Amino acid sequence: MINLSGLLSIKGISRPELFSFFDQVSSTKNSSQKQNQKLSTTSDQVGILAFFEPSTRTRVSFEAAGSALGIRWIVLNPENLSLKKGESVKDTFQALALYRPDFLVIRHHLSGFCELAQKWTNLPIINAGDGFNEHPTQALLDAYTLWKKNPKKKYKIAFFGDVVRSRVARSDIYAFRALGYDLSIVDDGGLETKLFAKAFKVKLISRAKLKAQDVVFCLRVQKERGSQVQMPALMPNDLGKQTLVMHPGPVVAGEDLAYELCDFKAKNNLVHEQVENGFWVRKEILRNVLNLKKRGPKK
Ligand code: CP
Protein backbone atom coordinates (compact mmCIF):
# COMPACT_ATOMS: atom_id res chain seq x y z
CA MET A 1 0.00 0.00 0.00
CA ILE A 2 2.37 2.73 1.20
CA ASN A 3 5.39 0.97 -0.30
CA LEU A 4 3.87 1.00 -3.79
CA SER A 5 5.31 3.49 -6.22
CA GLY A 6 2.86 6.18 -5.27
CA LEU A 7 -0.12 6.40 -2.97
CA LEU A 8 -3.55 6.65 -4.56
CA SER A 9 -5.75 5.27 -1.80
CA ILE A 10 -5.60 4.07 1.77
CA LYS A 11 -8.45 1.58 1.27
CA GLY A 12 -7.42 -1.94 2.19
CA ILE A 13 -4.43 -0.92 4.31
CA SER A 14 -3.74 -3.37 7.15
CA ARG A 15 -2.90 -2.76 10.79
CA PRO A 16 0.64 -4.25 10.45
CA GLU A 17 1.28 -1.98 7.44
CA LEU A 18 0.16 1.03 9.45
CA PHE A 19 2.23 0.07 12.51
CA SER A 20 5.32 -0.49 10.39
CA PHE A 21 4.81 2.89 8.69
CA PHE A 22 4.29 4.66 12.04
CA ASP A 23 7.52 3.11 13.36
CA GLN A 24 9.33 4.44 10.29
CA VAL A 25 7.87 7.94 10.82
CA SER A 26 8.89 7.99 14.48
CA SER A 27 12.38 6.73 13.73
CA THR A 28 12.91 9.31 10.92
CA LYS A 29 11.55 12.03 13.18
CA ASN A 30 13.88 11.07 16.03
CA SER A 31 16.98 10.73 13.87
CA SER A 32 16.26 13.91 11.86
CA GLN A 33 15.79 15.86 15.05
CA LYS A 34 19.16 14.59 16.30
CA GLN A 35 21.18 15.28 13.15
CA ASN A 36 19.25 17.06 10.41
CA GLN A 37 19.86 14.19 7.96
CA LYS A 38 19.46 14.39 4.20
CA LEU A 39 19.27 11.34 1.96
CA SER A 40 21.99 11.41 -0.63
CA THR A 41 19.99 8.92 -2.73
CA THR A 42 17.26 11.48 -3.40
CA SER A 43 19.36 14.38 -4.58
CA ASP A 44 18.60 13.78 -8.27
CA GLN A 45 14.85 13.32 -7.78
CA VAL A 46 12.36 15.71 -9.33
CA GLY A 47 8.75 15.91 -8.15
CA ILE A 48 5.88 17.86 -9.66
CA LEU A 49 3.37 19.49 -7.30
CA ALA A 50 0.13 19.82 -9.28
CA PHE A 51 -2.55 21.36 -7.09
CA PHE A 52 -5.78 22.21 -8.91
CA GLU A 53 -7.51 23.20 -5.64
CA PRO A 54 -6.26 25.53 -2.90
CA SER A 55 -4.09 24.03 -0.17
CA THR A 56 -1.91 25.26 2.66
CA ARG A 57 -1.01 22.25 4.80
CA THR A 58 -0.74 19.49 2.21
CA ARG A 59 1.15 21.43 -0.45
CA VAL A 60 3.55 23.23 1.86
CA SER A 61 4.29 20.16 3.99
CA PHE A 62 5.09 18.14 0.86
CA GLU A 63 7.29 20.93 -0.43
CA ALA A 64 9.07 21.35 2.92
CA ALA A 65 9.47 17.60 3.56
CA GLY A 66 10.67 16.96 0.01
CA SER A 67 13.14 19.83 0.16
CA ALA A 68 14.54 18.39 3.39
CA LEU A 69 15.14 15.16 1.45
CA GLY A 70 16.89 16.97 -1.38
CA ILE A 71 13.99 16.67 -3.85
CA ARG A 72 13.79 19.37 -6.49
CA TRP A 73 10.24 20.52 -7.05
CA ILE A 74 8.42 21.83 -10.10
CA VAL A 75 5.41 23.65 -8.66
CA LEU A 76 2.58 24.08 -11.16
CA ASN A 77 0.13 26.93 -11.08
CA PRO A 78 -2.97 25.65 -12.94
CA GLU A 79 -3.91 29.24 -13.81
CA ASN A 80 -0.80 29.46 -15.99
CA LEU A 81 -1.07 26.10 -17.76
CA SER A 82 -2.20 25.73 -21.38
CA LEU A 83 -5.36 24.12 -20.05
CA LYS A 84 -6.55 27.73 -20.12
CA LYS A 85 -6.15 27.68 -23.92
CA GLY A 86 -8.39 24.61 -24.23
CA GLU A 87 -5.86 21.76 -23.95
CA SER A 88 -7.23 18.60 -22.33
CA VAL A 89 -6.02 17.43 -18.92
CA LYS A 90 -4.93 14.14 -20.47
CA ASP A 91 -2.69 15.92 -23.00
CA THR A 92 -1.40 18.14 -20.19
CA PHE A 93 -0.34 15.22 -18.00
CA GLN A 94 1.12 13.27 -20.91
CA ALA A 95 3.22 16.32 -21.78
CA LEU A 96 4.35 16.68 -18.14
CA ALA A 97 5.47 13.03 -18.10
CA LEU A 98 7.71 13.64 -21.13
CA TYR A 99 9.86 15.97 -19.03
CA ARG A 100 10.70 12.90 -16.93
CA PRO A 101 9.82 13.88 -13.39
CA ASP A 102 10.21 11.02 -10.92
CA PHE A 103 6.73 11.37 -9.44
CA LEU A 104 3.74 13.69 -9.09
CA VAL A 105 1.74 14.93 -6.12
CA ILE A 106 -1.76 15.84 -7.31
CA ARG A 107 -4.79 17.52 -5.80
CA HIS A 108 -7.85 17.78 -8.03
CA HIS A 109 -11.54 18.49 -7.63
CA LEU A 110 -12.61 15.37 -9.59
CA SER A 111 -13.04 12.17 -7.57
CA GLY A 112 -10.84 9.45 -9.07
CA PHE A 113 -8.61 11.92 -10.93
CA CYS A 114 -5.32 10.58 -9.55
CA GLU A 115 -6.01 7.06 -10.84
CA LEU A 116 -6.65 8.49 -14.29
CA ALA A 117 -3.48 10.58 -14.17
CA GLN A 118 -1.46 7.49 -13.26
CA LYS A 119 -2.80 5.66 -16.30
CA TRP A 120 -1.96 8.63 -18.53
CA THR A 121 1.58 9.12 -17.22
CA ASN A 122 2.70 5.74 -15.87
CA LEU A 123 4.48 7.66 -13.08
CA PRO A 124 4.17 7.23 -9.31
CA ILE A 125 1.40 9.52 -8.08
CA ILE A 126 0.67 10.64 -4.56
CA ASN A 127 -2.98 11.55 -4.09
CA ALA A 128 -3.13 14.85 -2.19
CA GLY A 129 -6.95 14.86 -2.27
CA ASP A 130 -9.27 14.03 -5.19
CA GLY A 131 -12.79 15.44 -5.00
CA PHE A 132 -14.76 13.76 -2.24
CA ASN A 133 -13.01 10.44 -2.91
CA GLU A 134 -9.85 10.19 -0.78
CA HIS A 135 -7.11 12.06 1.05
CA PRO A 136 -4.78 9.19 1.99
CA THR A 137 -1.87 11.27 3.31
CA GLN A 138 -4.26 13.09 5.66
CA ALA A 139 -5.54 9.73 6.93
CA LEU A 140 -1.98 8.58 7.63
CA LEU A 141 -1.16 11.71 9.61
CA ASP A 142 -4.44 11.58 11.53
CA ALA A 143 -3.94 7.92 12.39
CA TYR A 144 -0.29 8.57 13.30
CA THR A 145 -1.31 11.44 15.60
CA LEU A 146 -3.64 9.18 17.59
CA TRP A 147 -1.28 6.19 17.57
CA LYS A 148 1.57 8.38 18.81
CA LYS A 149 -0.56 9.56 21.72
CA ASN A 150 -1.40 6.03 22.76
CA PRO A 151 -0.38 3.10 20.52
CA LYS A 152 -2.53 0.58 22.40
CA LYS A 153 -5.75 2.56 22.78
CA LYS A 154 -8.84 1.58 20.79
CA TYR A 155 -10.23 5.10 20.46
CA LYS A 156 -13.95 5.85 20.29
CA ILE A 157 -14.16 8.43 17.50
CA ALA A 158 -17.18 10.40 16.24
CA PHE A 159 -17.13 12.37 12.99
CA PHE A 160 -18.95 15.68 13.27
CA GLY A 161 -19.91 17.97 10.38
CA ASP A 162 -19.99 17.46 6.64
CA VAL A 163 -19.07 13.77 6.43
CA VAL A 164 -20.82 13.06 3.13
CA ARG A 165 -18.65 15.32 0.97
CA SER A 166 -15.46 14.75 2.93
CA ARG A 167 -12.55 12.89 1.34
CA VAL A 168 -10.86 13.05 4.76
CA ALA A 169 -13.75 11.15 6.37
CA ARG A 170 -13.58 8.42 3.73
CA SER A 171 -9.81 7.90 4.03
CA ASP A 172 -9.86 8.24 7.83
CA ILE A 173 -12.59 5.61 8.10
CA TYR A 174 -10.38 3.15 6.16
CA ALA A 175 -7.31 3.88 8.33
CA PHE A 176 -9.10 4.10 11.70
CA ARG A 177 -11.03 0.91 11.01
CA ALA A 178 -7.79 -0.92 10.21
CA LEU A 179 -6.56 0.16 13.66
CA GLY A 180 -9.69 -1.28 15.31
CA TYR A 181 -11.10 2.07 16.44
CA ASP A 182 -14.81 2.40 17.27
CA LEU A 183 -16.33 4.79 14.70
CA SER A 184 -19.55 6.77 14.58
CA ILE A 185 -21.06 9.76 12.78
CA VAL A 186 -23.19 12.47 14.36
CA ASP A 187 -26.63 12.30 12.76
CA ASP A 188 -27.61 15.62 11.18
CA GLY A 189 -31.03 14.22 10.22
CA GLY A 190 -30.23 14.25 6.49
CA LEU A 191 -30.88 11.32 4.15
CA GLU A 192 -27.40 11.59 2.61
CA THR A 193 -25.75 11.14 6.01
CA LYS A 194 -27.90 8.08 6.73
CA LEU A 195 -26.99 6.56 3.34
CA PHE A 196 -23.30 7.36 3.88
CA ALA A 197 -23.33 5.71 7.32
CA LYS A 198 -24.99 2.63 5.86
CA ALA A 199 -22.59 2.44 2.91
CA PHE A 200 -19.52 2.78 5.14
CA LYS A 201 -20.99 0.62 7.94
CA VAL A 202 -20.50 3.34 10.57
CA LYS A 203 -23.11 3.85 13.27
CA LEU A 204 -25.08 7.09 13.61
CA ILE A 205 -25.22 8.72 17.03
CA SER A 206 -26.96 11.78 18.42
CA ARG A 207 -25.00 14.93 19.20
CA ALA A 208 -25.65 14.31 22.91
CA LYS A 209 -23.49 11.15 22.69
CA LEU A 210 -20.37 13.18 21.84
CA LYS A 211 -19.55 13.50 25.55
CA ALA A 212 -18.85 9.75 25.69
CA GLN A 213 -16.28 9.83 22.84
CA ASP A 214 -12.50 9.83 23.16
CA VAL A 215 -12.21 11.92 20.00
CA VAL A 216 -14.52 14.21 18.06
CA PHE A 217 -13.25 14.58 14.51
CA CYS A 218 -14.72 17.80 13.16
CA LEU A 219 -15.11 18.38 9.40
CA ARG A 220 -15.50 21.59 7.41
CA VAL A 221 -18.67 22.19 5.40
CA GLN A 222 -17.55 21.55 1.80
CA LYS A 223 -19.40 24.44 0.16
CA GLU A 224 -17.23 24.09 -2.94
CA ARG A 225 -18.80 20.63 -3.41
CA GLY A 226 -22.37 21.87 -3.06
CA SER A 227 -22.87 21.02 0.60
CA GLN A 228 -26.07 22.20 2.26
CA VAL A 229 -25.09 20.95 5.76
CA GLN A 230 -26.21 23.43 8.40
CA MET A 231 -25.12 22.04 11.76
CA PRO A 232 -24.30 24.55 14.47
CA ALA A 233 -20.55 24.59 15.19
CA LEU A 234 -19.06 22.12 17.69
CA MET A 235 -19.37 23.74 21.14
CA PRO A 236 -17.34 23.21 24.34
CA ASN A 237 -20.45 21.85 26.07
CA ASP A 238 -20.77 19.11 23.40
CA LEU A 239 -17.58 17.53 24.77
CA GLY A 240 -16.59 15.46 27.77
CA LYS A 241 -13.72 16.63 29.99
CA GLN A 242 -11.21 14.29 28.31
CA THR A 243 -12.56 14.43 24.75
CA LEU A 244 -9.89 15.19 22.17
CA VAL A 245 -10.76 17.49 19.27
CA MET A 246 -9.34 16.86 15.80
CA HIS A 247 -9.87 18.73 12.53
CA PRO A 248 -7.93 18.27 9.27
CA GLY A 249 -7.98 22.01 8.55
CA PRO A 250 -8.64 24.47 7.18
CA VAL A 251 -10.91 25.37 10.12
CA VAL A 252 -13.67 27.89 9.51
CA ALA A 253 -13.86 29.37 13.02
CA GLY A 254 -17.40 29.76 14.32
CA GLU A 255 -18.78 27.52 11.55
CA ASP A 256 -17.05 24.15 12.14
CA LEU A 257 -15.65 24.78 15.61
CA ALA A 258 -16.92 27.36 18.08
CA TYR A 259 -14.39 30.17 18.58
CA GLU A 260 -13.72 28.85 22.10
CA LEU A 261 -12.49 25.55 20.58
CA CYS A 262 -10.11 27.26 18.14
CA ASP A 263 -7.17 27.37 20.55
CA PHE A 264 -5.14 24.77 18.65
CA LYS A 265 -2.54 24.58 21.42
CA ALA A 266 -5.11 23.75 24.12
CA LYS A 267 -4.57 20.49 26.03
CA ASN A 268 -7.33 18.47 24.36
CA ASN A 269 -6.96 20.04 20.94
CA LEU A 270 -4.86 18.03 18.44
CA VAL A 271 -5.15 20.35 15.43
CA HIS A 272 -1.58 21.67 15.57
CA GLU A 273 -0.22 18.19 16.30
CA GLN A 274 -1.98 16.98 13.15
CA VAL A 275 -0.48 19.81 11.10
CA GLU A 276 3.03 19.20 12.45
CA ASN A 277 2.82 15.44 11.98
CA GLY A 278 1.85 16.13 8.36
CA PHE A 279 5.46 17.12 7.72
CA TRP A 280 6.93 13.91 9.18
CA VAL A 281 4.32 11.61 7.66
CA ARG A 282 4.71 13.13 4.19
CA LYS A 283 8.48 12.96 4.47
CA GLU A 284 8.17 9.23 5.12
CA ILE A 285 5.73 8.79 2.24
CA LEU A 286 8.23 10.49 -0.07
CA ARG A 287 11.04 8.29 1.24
CA ASN A 288 8.94 5.20 0.51
CA VAL A 289 8.14 6.33 -3.00
CA LEU A 290 11.74 7.35 -3.69
CA ASN A 291 13.28 4.24 -2.17
CA LEU A 292 11.57 2.29 -4.93
CA LYS A 293 13.20 4.61 -7.42
CA LYS A 294 16.61 3.25 -6.32
CA ARG A 295 15.93 0.28 -8.64
CA GLY A 296 17.83 1.83 -11.47
CA PRO A 297 19.00 4.99 -13.15
CA LYS A 298 16.65 7.18 -15.12
CA LYS A 299 16.45 6.15 -18.78
N1 CP B 1 -6.13 19.19 5.49
C1 CP B 1 -5.79 19.73 4.29
O1 CP B 1 -5.79 19.04 3.26
O2 CP B 1 -5.48 21.05 4.33
P1 CP B 1 -5.08 21.93 3.05
O3 CP B 1 -6.33 22.03 2.18
O4 CP B 1 -4.64 23.24 3.60
O5 CP B 1 -4.00 21.20 2.32
Side-chain angles (χ1 to χ4, degrees), residues 2 13-23 140 143 175 178-179:
I2 304 166
I13 197 158
S14 68
R15 195 176 316 181
E17 281 176 299
L18 283 167
F19 284 165
S20 146
F21 178 75
F22 296 159
D23 284 338
L140 289 172
L179 293 170

Side-chain angles (χ1 to χ4, degrees), residues 10-295:
I10 207 75
K11 192 174 180 182
I13 197 158
S14 68
R15 195 176 316 181
E17 281 176 299
L18 283 167
F19 284 165
S20 146
F21 178 75
F22 296 159
D23 284 338
Q24 286 174 30
V25 175
S26 287
S27 129
T28 301
K29 189 174 173 180
N30 293 339
S31 62
S32 294
Q33 279 169 342
K34 273 187 208 139
Q35 49 182 6
N36 202 15
Q37 280 180 335
K38 288 197 177 192
L39 287 184
S40 56
T41 49
T42 62
S43 58
D44 66 342
Q45 307 283 334
V46 176
I48 292 187
L49 284 166
F51 277 63
F52 293 82
E53 280 189 341
S55 168
T56 299
R57 282 149 285 274
T58 313
R59 195 185 67 74
V60 177
S61 60
F62 264 119
E63 199 168 342
S67 300
L69 290 168
I71 292 167
R72 284 171 292 143
W73 288 115
I74 297 170
V75 183
L76 299 185
N77 176 357
E79 291 302 308
N80 295 335
L81 291 175
S82 289
L83 281 164
K84 288 280 167 192
K85 301 176 195 164
E87 187 175 30
S88 73
V89 276
K90 182 178 176 185
D91 288 351
T92 303
F93 275 84
Q94 285 183 338
L96 292 174
L98 293 172
Y99 299 122
R100 300 195 294 163
D102 293 280
F103 69 101
L104 295 107
V105 182
I106 301 176
R107 170 170 289 189
H108 200 277
H109 49 273
L110 290 178
S111 303
F113 184 85
C114 293
E115 275 184 41
L116 271 178
Q118 190 173 58
K119 284 184 190 132
W120 295 332
T121 64
N122 205 23
L123 284 167
I125 287 178
I126 299 171
N127 180 354
D130 60 333
F132 53 74
N133 179 39
E134 279 223 47
H135 196 346
T137 69
Q138 180 73 41
L140 289 172
L141 76 88
D142 291 335
Y144 176 75
T145 301
L146 288 171
W147 172 86
K148 187 93 184 101
K149 259 203 149 15
N150 189 339
K152 295 217 163 72
K153 192 169 173 78
K154 298 280 186 244
Y155 291 94
K156 280 181 77 171
I157 304 176
F159 291 96
F160 175 93
D162 185 6
V163 176
V164 173
R165 285 170 184 79
S166 172
R167 54 195 175 208
V168 174
R170 284 168 174 77
S171 289
D172 277 10
I173 287 170
Y174 297 138
F176 292 166
R177 182 163 280 150
L179 293 170
Y181 297 166
D182 177 293
L183 304 179
S184 53
I185 294 170
V186 175
D187 192 357
D188 64 355
L191 178 62
E192 285 184 328
T193 308
K194 283 186 177 41
L195 292 174
F196 180 98
K198 196 170 172 198
F200 283 83
K201 298 186 173 58
V202 181
K203 56 184 177 284
L204 283 173
I205 59 167
S206 69
R207 189 167 178 148
K209 293 267 167 60
L210 284 178
K211 284 190 168 57
Q213 303 296 315
D214 299 313
V215 179
V216 177
F217 199 102
C218 194
L219 295 159
R220 181 176 63 86
V221 178
Q222 305 274 305
K223 289 180 188 144
E224 70 273 36
R225 288 180 233 294
S227 180
Q228 306 277 318
V229 170
Q230 285 185 333
M231 272 168 100
L234 188 69
M235 304 295 291
N237 64 6
D238 283 321
L239 307 171
K241 276 202 168 59
Q242 306 298 323
T243 315
L244 300 169
V245 174
M246 296 180 81
H247 192 303
V251 172
V252 184
E255 197 171 290
D256 319 334
L257 288 175
Y259 288 99
E260 303 93 296
L261 292 176
C262 288
D263 174 2
F264 303 139
K265 289 189 169 67
K267 189 168 145 273
N268 290 347
N269 190 310
L270 299 187
V271 173
H272 272 186
E273 274 182 55
Q274 290 171 268
V275 174
E276 192 186 351
N277 285 333
F279 173 87
W280 298 105
V281 163
R282 291 186 175 115
K283 190 172 183 185
E284 203 51 44
I285 290 166
L286 290 170
R287 272 165 47 91
N288 276 271
V289 171
L290 296 171
N291 281 344
L292 290 180
K293 299 293 292 180
K294 282 190 214 161
R295 285 173 302 197

